[in-house]
Amino acid sequence: MNVTPSAELTALKNTPRISVAPMMDWTTKDYRYFARLFNPNVVLYTEMVTTGAILFGDAARHLNFNAQEHPIVLQLGGSNPQDLATCTKMAQDWGYDEVNLNVGCPSDRVQNNKIGACLMAEPDLVAECIATMQNAVQIPVTVKHRIGIDDMQSYEEMLHFVDTVAATGCNYFVVHARIAILKGLSPKENRDVPPLRYEDVYRLKRERPHLTIEINGGIKTVAETQAHLQHVDGVMIGREAYHNPYLLAELGQLWDLEAPDRFEIMQQMLPYIQMRMQDGAPVSVLTRHILGLFQNLPGARKWRQALSGGNVKSYADVENAIINIQAAMQRTEDYLLRPPLLPLGEGRDEG
C-alpha cells in the first residue's frame, strides 16, 4: 500500500495537463513505470478496473502500483454509487492522486454490466455516482466520456450530460471526441470509424469556461498537442503513447524539459525488469511494453525482433534475460551509429 502524496496533487493541476489514456491490457503498472521514465509531468492512468474486481476479487493485484508512477489516476468502471464510493475511498487510502469514472468504453461486456459509454444515456445516475464518490474522499473525482452514443449524437445532448454531472461540483471532464456506436460497431471500430469532432470539445470549453476540459482521440504528435491546447486545458494521448513512447519525452518541451536519451531510459528500466522477474513475472510480459522505444528510427524493427523473437522468451532466468536485453541495446546502438550501406533504390529500415 502506498502513502498519499502531496506534490503529485499539485502536479495534477499543472497547465497544460498531458495524460496517457487508460487502455486495457496496455497501461499496466509495468508500462506505467516505463512511461514515467520519459517525462515526470505526464499524468498516468491505470487500465479501467471494475468495482466488482476490487470488491470481490484481488484488490491488491488491481490497485498496487509503483511509487514512481505518481501522478497516477485510477479509472473505475461501475454504476452503483455506493460501490463506486467504497472503491474511491480505497483508492485514496492506497495513494492514488485522482479517481476517474469511465463513461466512454464501448465494449459489449461493460455495456451488459451498465459500465462505460452506455451511461451517457443516464446523466442523472452518473451525477449520483460522482456525488457519492466525491463525498467519500478528498482527492479529485473526474469523468471520461464520449461526445455521444448511438441516437444521442448532438452537441446539445452532450452538453446536457456535462451540465448534469457538473452540478455535483465535478469540474474536470476528459472528452473523447468521437461518438460511440454501441449497436453495430466493435470496440476496435469505435476507436477509428466514427469521425473525430474536435470542434464539439472546443465549443464545450468556450461555452463552459469554468470547467476544465481535456481532449482525447487520434492525437499523435507534439504539434497536434500544441494545436489542441489553444482551445482546451489538457490533452490525453492513447495508442501513440504506447506504440511510440518517446513521444512522451518530446512532449517535455511543453515544460522546457530536456529530452532523455533512449539508451539511458533502458538503463534505468533494466533494474525494474530484473526486480519484476525475480518476483516471477515472465520476461515477455515485461518486454512487450518496450518494443516501441525506437519507433520511427532506423533499427526499430531490429529492436522489436530481438525482444519479441525466441531469443529473450527462451531465457527463464533473470541474469541471461538482462544480458540478452543489453545485447539487443548494443546491436541497436551500433546500427543507429553505423547503418549498413544499401544498394541504390533500397530503403533503410525505418521500423
Side-chain angles (χ1 to χ4, degrees), residues 18-237:
I18 307 298
S19 60
V20 177
M23 293 175 281
M24 294 300 293
D25 299 323
W26 287 6
T27 51
T28 66
K29 68 178 183 179
D30 298 321
Y31 166 76
R32 297 190 307 262
Y33 186 95
F34 183 53
R36 178 57 68 216
L37 299 176
F38 293 87
N39 190 315
N41 293 340
V42 167
V43 177
L44 301 176
Y45 277 67
T46 67
E47 307 167 88
M48 182 191 72
V49 183
T50 65
T51 55
I54 294 173
L55 297 175
F56 308 111
D58 185 346
R61 182 172 72 85
H62 293 293
L63 294 178
N64 280 348
F65 62 92
N66 305 290
Q68 295 88 338
E69 294 174 42
H70 290 293
I72 180 170
V73 181
L74 172 68
Q75 188 183 63
L76 285 175
S79 57
N80 179 290
Q82 290 304 322
D83 288 350
L84 284 164
T86 299
C87 291
T88 301
K89 180 62 166 62
M90 290 175 68
Q92 176 176 273
D93 294 343
W94 225 271
Y96 282 90
D97 303 302
E98 178 180 303
V99 172
N100 178 268
L101 180 63
N102 184 318
V103 190
C105 182
S107 82
D108 293 337
R109 182 172 60 86
V110 298
Q111 286 181 60
N112 293 336
N113 291 297
K114 213 171 186 181
I115 298 170
C118 62
L119 287 173
M120 287 202 70
E122 300 189 55
D124 291 329
L125 174 58
V126 174
E128 182 184 357
C129 290
I130 292 296
T132 309
M133 294 163 72
Q134 289 178 135
N135 289 336
V137 295
Q138 289 74 52
I139 60 175
V141 176
T142 61
V143 179
K144 184 175 187 291
H145 63 91
R146 293 275 183 147
I147 58 172
I149 57 171
D150 293 334
D151 297 328
M152 299 174 54
Q153 299 188 16
S154 71
Y155 171 80
E156 289 72 23
E157 287 167 311
M158 177 185 69
L159 183 63
H160 172 68
F161 171 85
V162 171
D163 283 344
T164 302
V165 177
T168 67
C170 177
N171 61 9
Y172 204 107
F173 294 82
V174 182
V175 188
H176 188 150
R178 282 189 173 96
I179 64 168
I181 304 297
L182 304 180
K183 301 171 184 176
L185 290 183
S186 68
K188 182 178 186 300
E189 290 169 328
N190 266 299
R191 292 195 296 265
D192 298 298
V193 174
L196 287 160
R197 286 163 38 187
Y198 293 138
E199 179 53 41
D200 282 17
V201 188
Y202 298 165
R203 181 181 173 186
L204 177 62
K205 178 59 186 178
R206 288 197 305 269
E207 296 186 0
R208 299 294 184 267
H210 62 288
L211 299 179
T212 304
I213 305 298
E214 183 172 344
I215 196 167
N216 171 232
I219 303 163
K220 297 183 178 181
T221 67
V222 174
E224 291 170 358
T225 301
Q226 291 172 320
H228 286 301
L229 290 173
Q230 301 301 310
H231 304 279
V232 293
D233 303 294
V235 172
M236 175 178 278
I237 299 174

Side-chain angles (χ1 to χ4, degrees), residues 300-311:
R301 185 178 293 112
K302 292 183 177 3
W303 170 254
R304 292 196 300 269
Q305 289 171 342
L307 293 182
S308 59
N311 246 12

